Amino acid sequence: MGEASKTSTPSRAQWGDRWGFILACIGSAVGMANVWAFPYRAAKYGGGAFLVAYFTIALFLGLIGVSGEIAFGRWGQTGPLGTFRKALTQHNLPLKSIGIIPVAGSLAIGIGYAVVMAWVLRYTAGSVTGSMLSGDTGAYFGAIVGDFGSIGWHMLALAITFVVMIAGINSGIERINKFMMPLFFLLFLIMAIRVAFLPGAADGYRYLFIPQWEYLLKADTWVYALGQCFFSLSLAGSGTVVYGSYLNDAEDCIVCARRIAIFDTLAAILASMVVIPAVFAFGLDPSSGPPLMFITMPAIFQSILGGRLISVIFFIAILFAGLTSIVNLFETPIEALQNRFQLSQVKASLIVTGAAAAVGVFIENGDVVSAWMDAVSIYIIPIGALISAVLLFWVMGSDFVRSEMGKGRASRPGQWVTYLGKYVFCLVTLAVIILGIAKGGI
């Protein structure tokens, strides 16, 4: 981006280069759900058939949804609170503070995420010392997910996040993503190679990559592929809008969005190539849900040669995925505080992490944090995405959309972008809300 980044708002931070932005967005998208939710859903809904459904949806959501939020934030030069207000003011519409919904959703999901990060930190330490592999993995997990069960690890997770956040966009968020995201892929590649040598792993590969076509005729396959893809790509009208606000006009947001969708999908597949063959090799249930990451996989590590080392690599990789996601979640409220109250990076970061600590200690119980995350994911996150989509595609209009999405390209995209945004993406987002409520989360 270089000198071109100085042509917009000089006082506002800008990404150092295109890949800094893309890796930050990939870091936001690649989270713990890529490691446990994607593999068990793929296992539950026909293996390769689920992949077909997921790829189809990811292509569309990445092209329209992610690029739209990037373009909207770049135009607003701020997060959802300021961008939505700017759009509504321009059209003399009420509800100018409606951007508080995605800001609150981002903070709330970040509070829950920090609790899970504490578990991952504890598992990482337990892998290093060997304590996590020395007994019953179910009992080990149960001991840390009770009321106030991981306060020290919880505070450590927030302290690490705080250090990253106060360093800002370039020295903090961009730098850790440039380091952690390539390393995440490398670590999972190493594990995938090790798992490939397990007897019975081939059955897992066959299940994962050979579609059971009848599952494509089942509505739930498409519903849960949609939910997995929607939330994995961080479509919430929050973090992607904020990250887009730091992007230079010379960059092609459609190309960036496509790469984000591709790498997020690759991360999920790579995680599945570790988890599913390993589970098949030991005759365990690959569709066991959330316990897959904290109970089933550690039990497998106990039984394989070099399991202690693999467990360390596994949880470090998950830790990287979790940290890069949580900094995106917290950046939305931090940026809102900075923009609204002219606070410094340090003060805004302290307020957000302090709030996360004050609330988070009371939801450390596994059942409570699960209910918390479900409630936010069902009722707040997709509503933020819908508000952003309606403002962009309906309120701002076709010429605006094509102009903003056309920046950095040889020519503006055609009317198809607006049509897909208005009549497909907005309806899909509404469907995510309705289906989430009806099914208790997708």
Side-chain angles (χ1 to χ4, degrees):
M1 296 180 189
E3 293 297 318
S5 65
K6 301 175 183 177
T7 61
S8 41
T9 308
S11 60
R12 188 167 182 80
Q14 295 278 328
W15 299 107
D17 55 53
R18 175 185 298 177
W19 276 102
F21 165 70
I22 291 173
L23 287 170
C25 288
I26 293 170
S28 164
V30 175
M32 286 176 271
N34 290 73
V35 179
W36 65 264
F38 188 97
Y40 92 72
R41 285 183 171 179
K44 188 174 182 179
Y45 297 107
F50 183 83
L51 297 188
V52 172
Y54 188 92
F55 292 159
T56 304
I57 294 168
L59 178 64
F60 167 71
L61 291 182
L63 183 66
I64 302 299
V66 176
S67 59
E69 289 196 1
I70 292 171
F72 205 14
R74 179 166 61 181
W75 168 78
Q77 287 287 286
T78 182
L81 193 62
T83 296
F84 294 3
R85 177 182 292 275
K86 183 177 176 180
L88 291 163
T89 300
Q90 198 172 94
H91 289 81
N92 296 314
L93 293 172
L95 301 175
K96 292 182 174 59
S97 296
I98 199 169
I100 195 67
I101 293 175
V103 173
S106 191
L107 175 60
I109 207 75
I111 289 171
Y113 218 88
V115 174
V116 184
M117 275 273 291
W119 302 346
V120 175
L121 271 172
R122 191 160 177 177
Y123 265 75
T124 304
S127 297
V128 172
T129 63
S131 62
M132 187 267 291
L133 301 173
S134 61
D136 182 86
T137 57
Y140 187 89
F141 183 58
I144 69 176
V145 297
D147 294 333
F148 309 105
S150 299
I151 290 180
W153 297 101
H154 190 173
M155 296 304 107
L156 177 59
L158 288 171
I160 294 170
T161 305
F162 176 74
V163 170
V164 174
M165 301 310 301
I166 63 174
I169 289 295
N170 300 116
S171 299
I173 295 174
E174 185 171 354
R175 183 169 293 178
I176 67 156
N177 278 284
K178 281 186 172 180
F179 168 73
M180 289 185 176
M181 277 300 95
L183 197 53
F184 170 89
F185 282 93
L186 177 61
L187 292 175
F188 263 93
L189 182 60
I190 291 170
M191 288 186 287
I193 293 171
R194 173 64 187 91
V195 167
F197 289 94
L198 293 175
D203 293 334
Y205 296 131
R206 279 191 288 270
Y207 186 88
L208 180 61
F209 293 114
I210 299 176
Q212 298 178 50
W213 296 110
E214 64 272 18
Y215 277 88
L216 290 178
L217 300 177
K218 297 181 179 182
D220 276 358
T221 302
W222 293 91
V223 168
Y224 287 101
L226 171 61
Q228 179 70 31
C229 189
F230 191 92
F231 293 109
S232 185
L233 288 175
S234 300
L235 289 166
S238 54
T240 306
V241 175
V242 174
Y243 277 9
S245 74
Y246 302 120
L247 185 65
N248 186 273
D249 284 350
E251 300 295 351
D252 185 339
C253 68
I254 294 178
V255 169
C256 290
R258 185 170 65 236
R259 290 174 179 170
I260 292 163
I262 289 171
F263 279 99
D264 177 63
T265 303
L266 286 175
I269 293 173
L270 191 55
S272 298
M273 290 176 65
V274 172
V275 174
I276 291 181
V279 171
F280 265 79
F282 284 86
L284 300 174
D285 182 9
S287 60
S288 58
L292 192 65
M293 185 165 76
F294 290 109
I295 298 176
T296 306
M297 291 304 294
I300 291 172
F301 298 145
Q302 288 179 336
S303 305
I304 64 174
L305 183 66
R308 183 168 172 179
L309 176 60
I310 295 299
S311 71
V312 172
I313 294 173
F314 182 78
F315 285 105
I316 287 177
I318 295 172
L319 186 63
F320 287 173
L323 181 59
T324 54
S325 293
I326 200 171
V327 295
N328 173 267
L329 293 168
F330 280 171
E331 176 62 15
T332 300
I334 287 171
E335 191 277 342
L337 288 172
Q338 288 183 280
N339 187 265
R340 182 70 177 84
F341 300 106
Q342 306 302 309
L343 296 179
S344 68
Q345 183 80 21
V346 173
K347 288 181 179 178
S349 300
L350 187 61
I351 290 171
V352 169
T353 52
V359 175
V361 292
F362 295 102
I363 62 169
E364 283 190 353
N365 180 284
D367 293 334
V368 175
V369 73
S370 178
W372 172 280
M373 300 282 269
D374 285 346
V376 177
S377 298
I378 293 169
Y379 298 105
I380 303 179
I381 296 297
I383 290 175
L386 181 61
I387 293 169
S388 178
V390 169
L391 287 176
L392 176 61
F393 294 109
W394 286 93
V395 174
M396 300 307 292
S398 178
D399 286 342
F400 174 87
V401 171
R402 294 175 62 209
S403 174
E404 292 302 319
M405 291 182 121
K407 289 179 178 177
R409 298 176 64 85
S411 61
R412 299 199 312 178
Q415 290 285 359
W416 59 269
V417 169
T418 309
Y419 293 148
L420 286 176
K422 275 187 175 182
Y423 304 112
V424 182
F425 181 70
C426 286
L427 290 176
V428 166
T429 305
L430 181 61
V432 169
I433 298 171
I434 295 170
L435 290 167
I437 295 172
K439 290 181 168 289
I442 60 171

